[in-house]
Amino acid sequence: MVDPMTLSNTRSARGTSRWLGLLTCVAVIVVLPLIFRDAYWRGIITICAINILLAIGLDFIFGFAGQLSLGHSAFAGIGAYTSTVLVTALGANFWVALVCGVVCAGLAGVLLSAFAVRLKGHYLAIASLGFAVITYQILVNWISVTQGPLGIYGIPPPPSISIPGLQTINFSNHQAFFYLVSAFALLTYVLLRNLTRSPIGDALTAVREDEISAASLGIKGTKWKMMAFGIGCAIAGLAGCFYASFIGTLVPDAFFITESFMILAMVVIGGRGNLWGAVLGAVLLTVVPELLRGIGDFRLVAYGLALTLVALFLPGGLSGVLIQSARRFNGSVTRAKSETHA
């Protein structure tokens, strides 16, 4: 029988830990542009925030729903091109275009999932890869809309926001844009975290582990898989919208299938199924290649070797190693306390 007081204290400690973690993330977001003052590194940390959106969206699909998608970059492309065409060709407001891009990417994910939801393992991976190839070819050849290989140039940043009593926020400034993307990334992370810790997360985990057993409990795997795929793809679309407005130029090669493998590597290396592992992977695989540019082409060898070693010897990813280390530390502390009391 669990002591109600102990259970209450445990929940209170977890709640305090979550708030401390959230406040730490906010503090890091605020401080980073103050540390990196040059435009180059502010651009890198902004791309890092965009990659975090891509990684946690894929982790929700792959890590929690168990669906291996190799076409995640395609949904980022759908979001990017939808919002960009609406802004540049039709003169739509950026925020309206962003919502349309997110919705279009999410609907595309739901439609793909509706056809491929019964596929598993490498069959689903091949289907999603085929979708990515088709999407790329459409972006390249639908020249009247996407401008094809020539690309779309002069994409404006989000419009400035005027807050009464405060200075106008101009998103053409890298610092302001970083804060904007980071705020969306943090909000998305919190929403997904709460979702995975709710009964919805339990249903997704049940479907991932054993769909037949889940069905015997009344959990419809098809419905939950479609929902997870749609949400993950919508987040990818959001990342694509921010990418287009930040870079200011949009070409199909930015969403080639190799980008999907990079996003998947972020999730696998960081550790799938816990969201913060995907964040860790996104940060590492965005920042480390930039730090290795000084060694020229040898950085590709070092980069590939590191990925191979982690994949071979750390199946739970880097976050899995940290979790195991924390558990061992807590266990040693508990044993030390018990021996002291004894």
Side-chain angles (χ1 to χ4, degrees):
M1 188 72 177
V2 179
D3 183 9
M5 184 62 70
T6 302
L7 183 60
S8 176
N9 291 337
T10 302
R11 290 177 177 175
S12 177
R14 289 178 178 176
T16 302
S17 177
R18 291 172 188 172
W19 277 108
L20 287 175
L22 180 61
L23 291 175
T24 301
C25 291
V26 172
V28 170
I29 290 172
V30 171
V31 168
L32 275 178
L34 303 179
I35 298 175
F36 301 101
R37 294 182 175 275
D38 59 297
Y40 175 77
W41 276 105
R42 282 186 174 178
I44 295 300
I45 60 176
T46 302
I47 294 296
C48 187
I50 294 173
N51 285 340
I52 287 174
L53 278 171
L54 291 169
I56 61 176
L58 181 59
D59 192 30
F60 188 68
I61 297 172
F62 182 38
F64 290 92
Q67 302 179 88
L68 178 57
S69 173
L70 296 180
H72 210 57
S73 62
F75 302 102
I78 291 172
Y81 272 92
T82 299
S83 62
T84 298
V85 170
L86 288 175
V87 170
T88 58
L90 302 180
N93 178 271
F94 170 82
W95 302 108
V96 174
L98 181 140
V99 172
C100 291
V102 170
V103 171
C104 287
L107 289 177
V110 171
L111 290 175
L112 174 62
S113 182
F115 287 104
V117 73
R118 289 182 172 80
L119 300 177
K120 298 180 181 180
H122 59 279
Y123 294 106
L124 176 60
I126 292 172
S128 61
L129 183 62
F131 178 80
V133 172
I134 293 172
T135 302
Y136 175 77
Q137 291 300 323
I138 291 174
L139 296 179
V140 169
N141 293 290
W142 197 4
I143 297 177
S144 61
V145 175
T146 66
Q147 304 301 317
L150 298 177
I152 301 175
Y153 294 87
I155 303 171
S160 301
I161 298 178
S162 299
I163 302 177
L166 297 176
Q167 186 177 3
T168 300
I169 302 175
N170 184 3
F171 292 112
S172 61
N173 180 282
H174 282 185
Q175 181 176 355
F177 200 99
F178 169 75
Y179 285 146
L180 175 66
V181 180
S182 297
F184 271 88
L186 183 58
L187 178 61
T188 303
Y189 179 90
V190 172
L191 292 176
L192 287 182
R193 192 64 173 168
N194 291 333
L195 196 63
T196 55
R197 291 183 174 181
S198 70
I200 294 176
D202 295 335
L204 288 174
T205 302
V207 172
R208 179 193 67 194
E209 297 299 327
D210 192 334
E211 190 170 349
I212 296 176
S213 298
S216 67
L217 299 174
I219 301 175
K220 297 181 180 179
T222 301
K223 179 183 70 174
W224 292 109
K225 285 183 177 180
M226 290 176 62
M227 181 210 72
F229 214 93
I231 291 176
C233 293
I235 295 171
L238 176 64
C241 294
F242 282 129
Y243 174 83
S245 60
F246 176 67
I247 298 299
T249 302
L250 202 56
V251 292
D253 285 348
F255 309 102
F256 193 55
I257 54 176
T258 52
E259 298 302 318
S260 293
F261 289 105
M262 179 59 69
I263 302 168
L264 180 62
M266 293 175 183
V267 175
V268 173
I269 300 303
R272 69 188 183 102
N274 56 30
L275 289 180
W276 70 270
V279 174
L280 177 62
V283 172
L284 289 176
L285 297 192
T286 304
V287 175
V288 171
E290 298 301 322
L291 296 176
L292 295 178
R293 284 190 181 275
I295 62 176
D297 291 339
F298 287 105
R299 67 187 174 87
L300 301 177
V301 178
Y303 183 54
L305 180 61
L307 292 180
T308 303
L309 292 176
V310 172
L312 287 176
F313 299 106
L314 302 176
L318 297 177
S319 63
V321 175
L322 295 176
I323 291 172
Q324 290 179 2
S325 300
R327 287 175 179 173
R328 290 174 182 172
F329 176 77
N330 291 334
S332 62
V333 171
T334 303
R335 285 193 299 269
K337 286 182 179 179
S338 62
E339 291 174 358
T340 302
H341 290 299

